[in-house]
Amino acid sequence: MQLQTLYQQTIKFATAKHVEQGQQVPGTNLPYVVHLSNVAMEVMIAGFNTENFNTGFAVQVALLHDTLEDTATTFVELENKFGSDIAIAVSALTKSAIVPKEQRMSDCLARIKKLQPEVWAVKLADRITNLQPPPQDWDKIKKAKYREEARLILNELKAGNGFLANRLQDKIEAYGVYL
């Protein structure tokens, strides 16, 4: 199937799921689909700059990466609509509510590292996209913790995609203006 068709089918599904929740990009009035499409854009550009990269798979995972965590979507629903590989990838990118909060990112990264590099790339792209101006209500401590978490993601997943690792490194440095 062509990338454009995969993108359209997937973004329509993801948008409907996030609209049901009334979700917006944190700190803005933008619909959440803007975040999802930005993550997918980062992954597409990485695909053009990375050998042996399954761009179609990565774009679908990028567009769906928050559906299990932030919507009523179930694993079985994703699996039935998009297949097991996509559902497993989205599940790995989802922080587990049963894991203590301070261990959720480490747990998530460990699950991501068991999967193909395209899943690693989605997590890198997600954090690249999230390193925008922080919400107004974040204090310096929260901003600093978020930046440190970005460094953890970079250190754990940089081998998954050099192009996105370099982009994330640049974004982490640029985020310093908010501290």
Side-chain angles (χ1 to χ4, degrees):
M1 194 178 294
Q2 289 186 320
L3 180 58
Q4 300 92 316
T5 303
L6 288 173
Y7 186 97
Q8 287 299 315
Q9 290 175 346
T10 310
I11 200 166
K12 287 175 185 174
F13 177 89
T15 299
K17 293 297 184 174
H18 288 281
V19 166
E20 285 175 5
Q21 304 298 312
Q23 226 178 340
Q24 295 180 318
V25 176
T28 75
N29 292 323
L30 297 172
Y32 200 71
V33 68
V34 171
H35 168 67
L36 302 176
S37 63
N38 284 337
V39 175
M41 180 264 313
E42 290 286 347
V43 166
M44 276 191 276
I45 301 300
F48 299 141
N49 289 282
T50 307
E51 287 187 34
N52 302 315
F53 190 84
N54 186 342
T55 305
F57 171 77
V59 165
Q60 285 188 289
V61 173
L63 291 170
L64 297 167
H65 79 275
D66 280 334
T67 53
L68 293 177
E69 191 167 316
D70 295 342
T71 76
T73 307
T74 66
F75 180 90
V76 171
E77 185 178 7
L78 278 182
E79 186 175 37
N80 288 339
K81 180 95 174 146
F82 298 102
S84 295
D85 288 346
I86 298 236
I88 290 166
V90 173
S91 182
L93 290 158
T94 302
K95 292 183 197 111
S96 174
I98 62 171
V99 173
K101 190 172 184 175
E102 64 278 358
Q103 296 172 11
R104 287 180 186 167
M105 182 57 73
S106 295
D107 171 68
C108 184
L109 293 171
R111 288 182 286 119
I112 290 167
K113 289 171 77 173
K114 293 177 183 174
L115 299 177
Q116 54 270 63
E118 289 84 356
V119 181
W120 300 35
V122 171
K123 186 62 182 174
L124 292 167
D126 181 40
R127 190 47 62 108
I128 289 165
T129 301
N130 285 339
L131 286 175
Q132 304 298 323
Q136 298 273 342
D137 61 340
W138 282 21
D139 62 19
K140 259 190 172 179
I141 294 169
K142 182 160 178 117
K143 293 173 195 174
K145 283 182 182 178
Y146 200 72
R147 187 179 186 201
E148 283 309 306
E149 192 176 72
R151 284 191 173 118
L152 172 66
I153 292 166
L154 177 62
N155 289 334
E156 291 293 318
L157 301 180
K158 63 186 170 192
N161 189 282
F163 179 83
L164 289 172
N166 289 335
R167 290 254 317 133
L168 181 53
Q169 179 64 52
D170 291 345
K171 286 291 219 171
I172 289 168
E173 295 310 314
Y175 196 77
V177 301
Y178 303 113
L179 301 179

